Amino acid sequence: FGARVTRITGEPGADIPNIGGKWAEIARHHYSKDQPWNCDQSLLYLARHQGRPNHLFLDGRTYQVRFARSGAPGAERRWHPQEPAIMIYVQDNCLGRWNVLDNTTQVLATFPGYSEFRIGPWEGNLSRDGGMIVVDGKKGGDRIAFAYDLQKQQKYPDLILNDVRVDWVSISASGKYIVLNGRIDSERGDQTQVYDLQANKIGELWSEYGRPSHYDLTLDENGDDIAVGVSKSKPDNGRVIKRRLSDGQVTVLTPGGYAGHTSTRNVNRPGWAYVTYQHRGPTWPPFWDEVIAVKLDGSQIVERI
């Protein structure tokens, strides 16, 4: 399709320029929903360099290695959506800021009685403005999650998750909703329930299996909070759908195929999502072994990358 692809890491075993050490066999970003670039795209973070040093920061435009950190604070961390040098991290029972340029940390809040904080785990994000986050963890014998306003330093009520097999939990893009994915009311799982910040249910449980699945959260062309991902249930098996958080309304976004993972980390290109297709054909046409951009307005316009 004429797309230019640039390899940004070196051959395994080769010297890493500027900082020393060797390129590992695995050197990549963390996950499709975990943005590797900072907010002004001046840095790109390779969270999974499985060698030494293990946290690599590249120039976000030239992809030259800028610096490395032998360790990173916390159990999980995410780029701040508006401050290019800052990552927000969680560790045990605290929230903090990590300035990656000068490698300093600042504890923002601690929560006595809580433990094992994560951001999701693995699949949570901050709100679009960086003001809100949902952390999950434990309080006593309870599995919990709660929303926290980083600007107002305000904690919202605990959401008790003892009866749920949690896959992940996150704040929505607008910061208005808590989104929970996991086995909530089924043996099969991959279901979603939406809550307000006070831990009250919003709408009905999305009880269908994986409708959507492997999804990311964003705002659509109307400014509504949505989930975008592959649907694994009827009537839209394998197609990409968006589902509105406020009421669960489904809009089909692709004409066919069986999609894989979705990313809406493209905050500088609103109205689109990026989707991978692992199937190599000939079933599930028309997208085989592709990456595409999907328009979120229901027009079923795609860009085949």
Side-chain angles (χ1 to χ4, degrees), residues 6-23:
T6 302
R7 176 172 174 160
I8 65 173
T9 60
E11 293 285 348
D15 292 336
I16 301 176
N18 303 328
I19 63 169
K22 305 287 186 182
W23 284 108

Side-chain angles (χ1 to χ4, degrees), residues 265-302:
R265 298 301 92 200
N266 50 295
V267 294
N268 290 331
R269 195 193 186 199
W272 294 80
Y274 287 78
V275 184
T276 58
Y277 286 79
Q278 281 76 53
H279 283 273
R280 297 179 182 270
T283 57
W284 306 106
F287 310 115
W288 302 324
D289 198 24
E290 292 187 35
V291 179
I292 69 172
V294 178
K295 200 166 177 59
L296 299 179
D297 61 2
S299 62
Q300 299 194 15
I301 294 174
V302 303

Side-chain angles (χ1 to χ4, degrees), residues 3 38 48 65 69 74 97 114 118 138 148 161 173 178 187 212 218 221 226 241 244 255 262 267 283 285 297 304-305:
N38 63 350
R48 295 202 65 191
V65 179
R69 300 291 178 235
R97 289 163 54 96
Y114 293 80
R118 306 301 292 264
K138 291 185 177 179
Y148 185 78
L161 301 173
I178 299 171
E187 290 301 313
T218 191
E221 71 284 354
I226 58 170
I241 65 171
R244 195 161 59 194
T262 300
V267 294
T283 57
D297 61 2
R304 301 176 80 169
I305 300 168

Side-chain angles (χ1 to χ4, degrees), residues 9 12-13 16 22-30 46-56:
T9 60
I16 301 176
K22 305 287 186 182
W23 284 108
E25 290 189 1
I26 293 177
R28 63 175 179 85
H29 71 295
H30 168 234
L46 296 183
R48 295 202 65 191
H49 182 250
Q50 295 192 343
R52 292 290 183 270
N54 55 357
H55 296 274
L56 301 182

Side-chain angles (χ1 to χ4, degrees), residues 80 83 86-89 95-99 104-106 108:
H80 192 284
E83 299 183 65
I86 300 299
M87 289 188 129
I88 301 297
Y89 71 89
L95 272 164
R97 289 163 54 96
W98 178 32
N99 186 315
T104 59
T105 60
Q106 174 193 1
L108 297 174

Side-chain angles (χ1 to χ4, degrees), residues 53-269:
N54 55 357
H55 296 274
L56 301 182
F57 291 84
L58 280 57
D59 185 289
R61 297 177 178 88
T62 68
Y63 308 121
Q64 298 299 306
V65 179
R66 286 270 308 273
F67 57 89
R69 300 291 178 235
S70 58
E76 289 193 64
R77 62 212 65 85
R78 301 289 186 273
W79 282 117
H80 192 284
Q82 295 187 356
E83 299 183 65
I86 300 299
M87 289 188 129
I88 301 297
Y89 71 89
V90 294
Q91 185 168 14
D92 191 28
N93 68 345
C94 78
L95 272 164
R97 289 163 54 96
W98 178 32
N99 186 315
V100 304
L101 294 180
D102 59 23
N103 200 23
T104 59
T105 60
Q106 174 193 1
V107 174
L108 297 174
T110 58
F111 303 86
Y114 293 80
S115 63
E116 299 182 29
F117 278 0
R118 306 301 292 264
I119 307 175
W122 310 121
E123 300 186 45
N125 274 297
L126 280 75
S127 59
R128 182 67 61 84
D129 64 1
M132 296 291 297
I133 193 172
V134 166
V135 298
D136 68 294
K138 291 185 177 179
K139 183 181 183 182
D142 293 328
R143 177 81 185 266
I144 60 89
F146 61 83
Y148 185 78
D149 190 316
L150 293 160
Q151 297 171 339
K152 298 179 180 178
Q153 298 183 319
Q154 177 183 355
K155 178 188 176 297
Y156 288 87
D158 290 343
L159 175 61
I160 307 300
L161 301 173
N162 292 336
D163 296 329
V164 178
R165 181 174 290 179
V166 178
D167 186 8
W168 58 269
V169 61
S170 180
I171 196 72
S172 68
S174 72
K176 297 178 182 178
Y177 301 107
I178 299 171
V179 183
L180 170 68
N181 180 263
R183 193 175 77 184
I184 302 171
D185 188 28
S186 167
E187 290 301 313
R188 197 168 192 186
D190 207 356
Q191 301 171 319
T192 295
Q193 180 69 62
V194 181
Y195 300 84
D196 65 18
L197 299 182
Q198 302 295 330
N200 301 309
K201 290 182 179 179
I202 298 294
E204 299 297 321
L205 171 71
W206 301 356
S207 58
E208 311 97 324
Y209 169 64
R211 192 171 186 243
S213 184
H214 297 299
Y215 64 84
D216 203 353
L217 301 170
T218 191
L219 303 173
D220 69 5
E221 71 284 354
N222 300 314
D224 292 326
D225 276 290
I226 58 170
V228 186
V230 58
S231 173
K232 294 185 175 180
S233 289
K234 295 178 180 179
D236 30 52
N237 305 54
R239 293 187 288 176
V240 178
I241 65 171
K242 73 173 182 180
R243 196 156 187 176
R244 195 161 59 194
L245 300 190
S246 61
D247 58 6
Q249 178 180 307
V250 171
T251 302
V252 177
L253 302 180
T254 55
Y258 206 105
H261 286 72
T262 300
S263 177
T264 56
R265 298 301 92 200
N266 50 295
V267 294
N268 290 331
R269 195 193 186 199

